[in-house]
Amino acid sequence: MAGDAGPDVADEAARIAWLSDQISHHSHLYYNLAAPELSDIEFDTLWDELKALDPSNLQLSIVGADVDPGSEKVVHLFPMRSLDKATSDEEIQHFAIETALGAEQFLSQPKLDGSALSLEYRLGRLVRAATRGNGDRGEDVTRNARRIQNVPENLGIEVDAHIRGEVVMSLSTFEEKYREVSPNPRNLAAGALRQKNLEAGKADAADLVFQAYDVRFPSKEVRHPNAVEPPHEENDSMLLEWLQKTGIEVAPWEVHDGAESMCTSTLDWSAKRESHRFEIDGVVFKVDDLRKRQLLGMTAHHPRWALAWKFPPDIAETVLLGIDWQTGRTGVITPVARLAPQMVGGVTVENATLHNVGELERLSIKIGDKVRLVRRGDVIPKVEAVMGKATKKDLQDRIHADGTPFTGVLPPSSVPDIPQTCPDCQGPVELDGAFLRCNDLSCTARTVRSLIYWCQALEMDGIGEKLAEQLDDSGLVRSIPDLYSLTMEQLSGLDRMAEKSASNVLSEISATRSLSLSRFLHALGMPGIGPELAASLSQEIGTLKELLTLVKQWSDGDESALNRLVSIDGVGAKVAEQFYGGLSIRSELVDDLSKAIEITTEGTAPVGGVLAGKSFCVTGSLSRGRKEIQLSIKAAGGKIVTSVSGNLDYLIAGENAGSKLSKAQSLGVEVLDESGLEKLMGSSTSDAPPRTLFDY
Ligand code: IVH
């Protein structure tokens, strides 16, 4: 057999450990890398020996290749929340003194700018790795995580643990190998984790590094029966030390005794930022005492025991060369700034939205002006201010994203022209407050964008921007109903459309030939009518026929049509007007669609909905609008009330929930955060269960 023969059989424990390591290593080579070093017989010999010595060994239950990265969802046993953000010393002081319940010790770590990863160890072995996803559910990326050099297969202690950290690429590796491939290491790290096969243009996970910042231990009920007790430390800093001993590389940390030293550490990190091995975008502060953390708890968005201080935003200056105008799905015509190329926050920017005509006036911007571009963390760069007229010097030494020199010239200073006609269909436009609109529903820009919206709202895979444009250019689809008469010949005749993809597209389309009224209304993409509103409007109205009667009444000036909608909780006169107005200008489209597909009656009020018979009060700031949450509760049969009493079933509390929260707590009313609500509604159990070796 290749390599050494391992410890002597006389030392049974050592022999078992060695055998299971060998099996883990050679399985990975065989299944994941297709590069075996042992013959089948040699591998089977190891397997049989381990089975004879320790039949319940965990390694014997890990069979086969890890799944294709990104192909399976993983429900996080411990949700991966975000962090509350700060940019000033005052906020750090407030956190240390007010928020942290008198905590005396804090730890700080650099906030690494990469991709979050959760490593699940069972009996000390890496069994699964998952991305953060939406915080409750991520994607299985075990196969790629195993390629990361400093992610150990084995912790050397038979513990069950979920280890969290950031996957990053060192700036030196980025410069040496990937500078041409991607604008920044963060995108490379995220891409490398999720790719199914090694691909040109993406990084190899072997070039990434894992930096841990957190460890959680499953409770006794859910951990493996043979797992050893996890360490019982009082402080997080002690747990990080423990992690280091298991061979995990932990992001550097420091301990602080209060706000002053914490504020100093932001200065230290600002000075070290450039020379640090990895890209960082701030400093994370955490209460060190684990019991205090428990007391502080979480909001739906972030733990109350942590704070991320972010470096000041990246600011740069460039020149406004011109303005392009783009018509969107709802007909709004948006000005887009064409800029001389400028690096800001690690990316070269040449375009930035100017939002609407009102924004041009607010900035008093002129073509040929020098402008200030600002990019905060992940946020898209924005033109924030005008710095006066640019000079030729402002255009010197500029380089496009692809490395070629910029050769444009300084345009003469001029006030931007507001288009008098739609840039796409040349039809008439209308100025409505800060917005310029094209009201022609047959405008190509509008039809293509509406088509894309329709497909996305109905979750049709495979019909994106490119295909929508191709369908429009080729004249095959001029409006949504045309989708439903597409044939195999027509589709497979398109450029770069293989027969298999054509047939996939057709079956995706086919799956939407029958729609409930609410899905139909949402997919129409009318301004202001999202999925929740579409659901409650449909519940009230029931059928398309009834809806068309109401629209007719409304356009005849019959008040009762409006009153019918205003009686729905969460719908005001403005929304009702917008809804009827949106439908009446789309009457031809609705008519054509109702001939092409079946629009089914909406189920009436969900008497048997999952929340039926329960009352809810919603308070505090939440990640979705309060109205939207109320509507989704109602759509599931729940009842909304606006005050807290002993009869209330649930209080849904967001951040800064205030007096309603304390009242609910004193009355013993059950309090849920947003994810608790989702669980109650069953939305987080709708997907396939997570893949684990043992059922939790
Ligand atoms: S602690 C409950 N520490 O920042 C969240 N997060 O903006 C505990 N991040 O998703 C996170 N460096 O991926 C923590 N030293 C650090 C970090 C860090 C980067 C990321 C993390 C999180 C994101 C939130």
Side-chain angles (χ1 to χ4, degrees):
M1 188 180 292
D4 78 275
D8 196 87
V9 266
D11 184 353
E12 195 173 293
R15 182 82 193 156
I16 289 173
W18 179 82
L19 283 167
S20 69
D21 261 347
Q22 289 289 301
I23 292 172
S24 161
H25 174 67
H26 289 289
S27 301
H28 178 54
L29 291 179
Y30 178 84
Y31 289 111
N32 291 329
L33 305 184
E37 286 174 5
L38 297 186
S39 69
D40 288 0
I41 296 176
E42 285 168 328
F43 184 82
D44 290 346
T45 314
L46 292 173
W47 185 278
D48 292 342
E49 187 184 347
L50 181 60
K51 201 165 172 192
L53 288 175
D54 184 13
S56 64
N57 193 287
L58 178 76
Q59 193 56 54
L60 298 170
S61 58
I62 308 176
V63 220
D66 296 321
V67 299
D68 272 351
S71 66
E72 278 192 15
K73 296 275 185 233
V74 173
V75 177
H76 294 302
L77 183 60
F78 305 98
M80 296 176 82
R81 293 277 174 257
S82 235
L83 287 167
D84 198 13
K85 295 191 181 61
T87 49
S88 66
D89 280 2
E90 288 72 37
E91 287 162 295
I92 297 175
Q93 277 152 4
H94 185 268
F95 170 72
I97 298 160
E98 308 281 333
T99 317
L101 289 179
E104 280 161 13
Q105 194 157 291
F106 299 86
L107 64 84
S108 69
Q109 268 182 326
K111 183 167 181 333
L112 295 149
D113 197 7
S115 201
L117 184 69
S118 174
L119 299 172
E120 184 181 339
Y121 286 87
R122 280 235 148 198
L123 295 180
R125 291 186 174 276
L126 179 64
V127 293
R128 193 163 57 156
T131 61
R132 174 175 184 273
N134 66 3
D136 290 313
R137 234 173 29 198
E139 285 177 1
D140 189 315
V141 292
T142 317
R143 193 161 80 209
N144 288 331
R146 289 193 205 279
R147 290 183 68 76
I148 303 176
Q149 307 275 320
N150 71 340
V151 166
E153 281 291 327
N154 191 344
L155 297 178
I157 159 171
E158 297 201 326
V159 70
D160 281 7
H162 290 230
I163 300 172
R164 268 79 194 272
E166 202 79 352
V167 170
V168 285
M169 177 182 279
S170 78
L171 287 162
S172 56
T173 307
F174 175 66
E175 290 301 338
E176 276 161 31
K177 291 178 74 170
Y178 294 106
R179 164 68 69 212
E180 264 89 71
V181 177
S182 173
N184 62 51
R186 180 191 344 111
N187 291 1
L188 286 164
L193 275 182
R194 298 188 58 227
Q195 68 186 332
K196 291 194 173 45
N197 300 301
L198 281 182
E199 277 171 41
K202 288 211 179 137
D204 179 352
D207 285 330
L208 305 178
V209 178
F210 180 71
Q211 296 278 287
Y213 51 66
D214 196 30
V215 56
R216 302 291 172 99
F217 303 100
S219 62
K220 207 178 178 87
E221 299 75 54
V222 293
R223 66 177 179 245
H224 189 279
N226 299 344
V228 299
E229 272 288 307
H232 290 285
E233 305 291 5
E234 278 173 24
N235 290 333
D236 192 28
S237 44
M238 293 169 174
L239 278 183
L240 296 181
E241 267 172 41
W242 175 88
L243 259 187
Q244 271 184 333
K245 286 192 199 123
T246 67
I248 292 280
E249 190 168 328
V250 180
W253 75 92
E254 253 181 289
V255 173
H256 306 273
D257 59 6
E260 201 183 321
S261 140
M262 289 154 79
C263 293
T264 310
S265 81
T266 64
L267 298 176
D268 294 346
W269 275 110
S270 302
K272 282 191 286 195
R273 183 183 188 183
E274 291 292 312
S275 56
H276 193 58
R277 232 176 112 203
F278 309 114
E279 246 179 24
I280 57 178
D281 56 356
V283 185
V284 182
F285 296 106
K286 306 174 203 180
V287 170
D288 200 16
D289 182 331
L290 295 169
R291 241 170 17 115
K292 283 233 157 66
R293 284 194 186 182
Q294 194 92 41
L295 290 173
L296 281 158
M298 304 266 208
T299 72
H301 172 263
H302 62 259
R304 291 196 190 82
W305 42 260
L307 183 73
W309 175 87
K310 304 276 282 232
F311 291 124
D314 290 297
I315 296 178
E317 281 169 5
T318 185
V319 178
L320 179 68
L321 301 173
I323 292 184
D324 291 335
W325 296 84
Q326 279 176 6
T327 310
R329 160 176 61 88
T330 57
V332 172
I333 303 169
T334 307
V336 179
R338 259 190 305 111
L339 304 164
Q342 172 63 46
M343 267 287 229
V344 58
V347 288
T348 301
V349 175
E350 300 199 40
N351 299 298
T353 173
L354 284 162
H355 305 293
N356 53 47
V357 175
E359 178 77 353
L360 297 186
E361 281 163 15
R362 194 185 68 78
L363 292 169
S364 303
I365 200 168
K366 288 201 208 62
I367 292 165
D369 275 350
K370 184 148 105 176
V371 295
R372 186 199 294 150
L373 265 182
V374 179
R375 183 166 182 263
R376 293 186 172 80
D378 291 349
V379 184
I380 312 164
K382 181 175 172 345
V383 173
E384 204 171 69
V386 170
M387 324 290 293
K389 222 162 118 177
T391 64
K392 279 190 187 148
K393 221 171 130 239
D394 294 317
L395 288 181
Q396 269 170 18
D397 305 324
R398 293 191 176 266
I399 301 166
H400 291 290
D402 65 5
T404 57
F406 168 73
T407 52
V409 291
L410 185 65
S413 174
S414 66
V415 175
D417 284 332
I418 313 285
Q420 302 300 308
T421 55
C422 167
D424 212 82
C425 70
Q426 273 70 51
V429 294
E430 180 189 280
L431 195 59
D432 171 11
F435 298 94
L436 189 67
R437 275 183 219 282
C438 163
N439 279 334
D440 184 353
L441 279 177
S442 60
C443 166
T444 323
R446 296 194 60 174
T447 50
V448 171
R449 299 229 146 69
S450 307
L451 187 66
I452 297 169
Y453 190 87
W454 176 269
C455 298
Q456 281 173 350
L458 298 176
E459 296 169 90
M460 293 187 210
D461 274 346
I463 313 183
E465 198 142 345
K466 280 215 184 84
L467 181 54
E469 270 165 17
Q470 248 183 317
L471 289 169
D472 181 74
D473 287 348
S474 60
L476 288 175
V477 178
R478 287 272 177 238
S479 160
I480 302 167
D482 297 342
L483 270 184
Y484 296 92
S485 46
L486 277 176
T487 64
M488 186 68 189
E489 288 74 52
Q490 289 173 328
L491 265 178
S492 48
L494 293 173
D495 254 10
R496 295 184 305 276
M497 175 66 79
E499 210 158 279
K500 182 147 183 282
S501 334
S503 112
N504 281 346
V505 168
L506 282 181
S507 66
E508 291 281 335
I509 295 174
S510 234
T512 64
R513 280 183 190 280
S514 170
L515 295 176
S516 66
L517 183 60
S518 59
R519 289 190 82 203
F520 170 73
L521 290 176
H522 165 215
L524 280 181
M526 292 182 285
I529 312 296
E532 311 291 359
L533 254 180
S536 34
L537 290 164
S538 308
Q539 235 149 50
E540 169 63 31
I541 301 164
T543 62
L544 181 63
K545 190 158 165 251
E546 174 73 5
L547 175 58
L548 296 178
T549 314
L550 285 168
V551 176
K552 168 98 182 37
Q553 282 174 358
W554 172 79
S555 53
D556 292 345
D558 182 344
E559 284 276 305
S560 63
L562 273 185
N563 294 342
R564 170 95 179 261
L565 297 193
V566 174
S567 70
I568 307 173
D569 207 10
V571 177
K574 204 170 146 218
V575 170
E577 287 276 359
Q578 206 175 14
F579 178 59
Y580 285 139
L583 280 168
S584 78
I585 57 168
R586 286 170 181 76
S587 60
E588 204 179 318
L589 173 65
V590 171
D591 195 37
D592 290 347
L593 270 169
S594 66
K595 288 178 192 141
I597 62 176
E598 183 196 17
I599 298 157
T600 60
T601 307
E602 194 70 21
T604 40
V607 182
V610 279
L611 305 185
K614 299 281 180 224
S615 58
F616 293 80
C617 176
V618 185
T619 188
S621 43
L622 300 132
S623 69
R624 294 186 292 154
R626 187 176 305 176
K627 205 160 259 173
E628 199 182 324
I629 292 181
Q630 288 173 335
L631 288 172
S632 61
I633 292 175
K634 287 174 57 175
K639 191 173 129 202
I640 297 293
V641 298
T642 48
S643 59
V644 176
S645 72
N647 294 332
L648 178 67
D649 291 306
Y650 296 100
L651 179 75
I652 310 301
E655 259 171 81
N656 305 322
S659 62
K660 282 193 177 143
L661 177 59
S662 25
K663 188 162 177 198
Q665 282 165 337
S666 67
L667 292 170
V669 170
E670 187 158 347
V671 178
L672 296 178
D673 61 8
E674 270 179 89
S675 66
L677 174 64
E678 270 172 33
K679 280 203 188 101
L680 200 63
M681 292 173 72
S683 47
S684 50
T685 52
S686 57
D687 271 336
R691 191 182 80 109
T692 51
L693 289 170
F694 303 90
D695 278 331
Y696 279 126

